[in-house]
Amino acid sequence: MTMPSSDPLGSPLKTGSDIATSLDAHLAQPAVILPTGPGRPSHRMPEGPELHLASQFVNEACRELVFGGCVEKSPVSRNPEVPFESSAYSISALARGKELRLTLSPLPGARPPREPLALVFRFGMTGSFQLVPSDALPPHAHLRFYTAPPGPRLALCFVDIRRFGRWDLGGEWQPGRGPCVLLEYEQFRENVLRNLADKAFDQPICEALLDQRFFNGIGNYLRAEILYRLRIPPFEKARTVLEALQQRRPVLPLPLLQSPELTLSQKIRAKLQNPDLLELCHSVPKEVVQLGGKGYGSESGEEDFAAFRAWLRCYSAPGMSSLRDRHGRTIWFQGASPARRSHPREHSRVLRTEQRTLHLQTRPLQGHEGHREAFLNRLQPRCPRGPASTRTQKLPQSLTQGRGGGDQHPQAAAEPERPRLTPHPWSLRGP
């Protein structure tokens, strides 16, 4: 008999008879998560909470299932093939930040004997997992794991409409990603405050919050909700906002917090009444996980997103302002848009143009200095057509001597100080 277990975030996982009820509900879900209409932001873009909800779903739905055979990849996907085949194996999942690790573990006695295989998924913009009958695969199911007989044949599918999602073999988390804001809060906080000298914190706080080296799991709607709760202007310099946390004093004096007269609930309440930005980076995603749903709940279609839409206070909410950051991503916030930030891409285009300006310096080739003087004289304002004497020009001595010295004009030789030149009619044409 399977013993009950708990999710690391405190959400109980279903076991036994609960699995059958949950599985029926998941099979009743629509095969495709449809995109939202034009002008409306998507509530389905996977961020840290969505990855954790997906891992909960896989663990709940697949705990009592036995998979078998080969792993099937769609021909249109550019992700790698999964070289795994076993007569009987189980599937488990673990999320960390914006990544999910799927582990395929052969059961005892399975053929051929082999080691477990792990894959790490990044969901992109539309990635999700669905469990469906094998004869009713959803469109855009780019990776499929089939159950083994007996019993109805099911398929666990990685569905990705826009095909920005990726998976890698080996099970290693992507290098460079920081600690998870949900499961590794202490390490996450230390990593941010220890690296405030990094140039990433020269950016506005709304852009720094999307840097997965320091805020692994934070995405577009989470940054809007976090900044809104603290009333932090989104374009405030990140280092300015975060440096204050290094000297932040507790709400209650330390001796009082350590006093045995205060109950644990009183200490927690005092802490939660005044959270800082890094604490909200942990608690706000946790609220979303506890809401559930978002395509993995018991409701069908849009109803599964109703609780999440009601939870949103800033992101796509009526009365809020929106603006695109330097990377083209929309930031939602309260208040008027900064005047100088109304066209951030135009500003960056001007900077790029200035950096590519070329300063050219010309000089005539040796022996052709006279030609340069003649050319500059031709650039002078042209006078109206008049007597021939008014249209003569003084030429440098190098031109009056001619080439070779034997082809001088007789009149030029007689009057070397005032040489005459009969101009071409096109070059000195009057108005």
Side-chain angles (χ1 to χ4, degrees):
M1 179 177 178
T2 306
M3 297 298 294
S5 59
S6 297
D7 182 81
L9 296 178
S11 177
L13 299 179
K14 301 175 184 178
T15 58
S17 61
D18 294 335
I19 291 293
T21 305
S22 176
L23 181 57
D24 292 338
H26 287 302
L27 292 179
Q29 294 287 333
V32 179
I33 299 179
L34 298 175
T36 53
R40 183 72 175 171
S42 172
H43 298 319
R44 298 170 176 81
M45 184 178 293
E47 301 183 15
E50 287 69 37
L51 273 292
H52 286 272
L53 287 171
S55 68
Q56 289 182 10
F57 164 71
V58 171
N59 290 328
E60 293 172 7
C62 300
R63 182 176 289 110
E64 302 296 326
L65 298 178
V66 176
F67 294 82
C70 299
V71 179
E72 190 175 87
K73 183 181 81 73
S74 69
V76 298
S77 175
R78 297 183 179 180
N79 284 296
E81 297 282 351
V82 180
F84 184 88
E85 182 178 4
S86 177
S87 59
Y89 66 94
S90 62
I91 295 181
S92 60
L94 173 66
R96 179 180 183 268
K98 286 191 176 183
E99 296 180 298
L100 182 145
R101 177 190 290 155
L102 205 67
T103 304
L104 317 180
S105 304
L107 301 178
R111 295 286 181 233
R114 60 164 301 145
E115 295 295 321
L117 177 68
L119 301 90
V120 172
F121 289 81
R122 289 177 289 279
F123 282 17
M125 297 184 68
T126 56
S128 66
F129 276 100
Q130 297 181 28
L131 185 65
V132 298
S134 61
D135 58 353
L137 296 178
H140 313 286
H142 297 299
L143 197 63
R144 305 179 279 269
F145 308 86
Y146 294 97
T147 57
R153 196 180 190 205
L154 305 175
L156 178 68
C157 305
F158 177 67
V159 181
D160 186 12
I161 297 175
R162 301 190 66 178
R163 284 189 278 171
F164 289 153
R166 295 288 180 266
W167 64 77
D168 296 319
L169 305 178
E172 298 294 330
W173 303 118
Q174 189 177 32
R177 287 183 178 266
C180 176
V181 297
L182 276 162
L183 301 181
E184 303 165 321
Y185 170 69
E186 294 298 335
Q187 299 94 313
F188 151 70
R189 187 181 184 93
E190 180 184 358
N191 182 48
V192 172
L193 297 180
R194 186 180 64 246
N195 292 284
L196 287 182
D198 191 277
K199 63 180 181 180
F201 297 103
D202 293 332
Q203 304 179 81
I205 185 62
C206 66
E207 296 184 12
L209 283 173
L210 299 185
D211 194 327
Q212 300 302 295
R213 296 176 299 165
F214 305 105
F215 298 91
N216 188 12
I218 300 298
N220 205 18
Y221 79 81
L222 285 175
R223 69 170 174 177
E225 297 298 318
I226 292 169
L227 295 177
Y228 169 77
R229 294 193 185 189
L230 294 176
R231 302 296 190 269
I232 295 177
F235 295 103
E236 187 75 23
K237 189 175 182 180
R239 186 176 295 107
T240 303
V241 175
L242 295 170
E243 278 180 341
L245 304 185
Q246 293 178 320
Q247 294 85 24
R248 183 174 184 264
R249 297 180 179 180
V251 178
L252 297 178
L254 186 59
L256 187 56
L257 284 174
Q258 297 175 345
S259 172
E261 299 179 359
L262 286 179
T263 64
L264 179 60
S265 61
Q266 290 174 328
K267 296 178 182 179
I268 295 177
R269 189 180 303 111
K271 183 70 172 175
L272 295 179
Q273 284 177 350
N274 295 277
D276 60 33
L277 185 141
L278 298 181
E279 290 169 346
L280 285 184
C281 287
H282 170 69
S283 61
V284 172
K286 191 173 180 179
E287 293 177 14
V288 181
V289 175
Q290 293 170 348
L291 285 176
K294 302 210 72 178
Y296 300 109
S298 58
E299 301 292 336
S300 60
E302 287 296 321
E303 295 179 1
D304 206 33
F305 293 82
F308 174 72
R309 284 196 297 267
W311 172 86
L312 290 171
R313 304 182 191 178
C314 178
Y315 182 78
S316 75
M320 296 296 166
S321 302
S322 64
L323 195 64
R324 290 189 180 274
D325 61 17
R326 291 189 306 117
H327 304 284
R329 296 169 296 204
T330 303
I331 171 67
W332 293 82
F333 57 96
Q334 187 178 35
S337 301
R340 298 185 63 183
R341 294 279 182 170
S342 57
H343 300 285
R345 286 181 177 271
E346 180 180 345
H347 179 64
S348 61
R349 190 182 301 117
V350 171
L351 294 181
R352 287 195 297 270
T353 303
E354 291 177 355
Q355 292 174 355
R356 295 183 182 181
T357 300
L358 297 178
H359 299 277
L360 301 179
Q361 182 179 4
T362 61
R363 61 179 181 178
L365 297 176
Q366 185 175 4
H368 295 270
E369 293 81 357
H371 294 281
R372 176 177 180 272
E373 297 295 335
F375 175 74
L376 293 178
N377 288 335
R378 291 176 61 184
L379 294 181
Q380 299 297 324
R382 295 165 182 170
C383 60
R385 184 180 300 275
S389 60
T390 62
R391 300 200 303 267
T392 58
Q393 295 186 5
K394 182 180 294 186
L395 295 182
Q397 187 176 2
S398 59
L399 287 182
T400 61
Q401 294 177 355
R403 296 184 182 181
D407 55 349
Q408 299 177 0
H409 194 281
Q411 189 175 1
E415 298 178 351
E417 293 82 1
R418 296 179 56 84
R420 285 182 171 272
L421 174 66
T422 302
H424 193 279
W426 289 357
S427 61
L428 292 177
R429 179 176 298 173

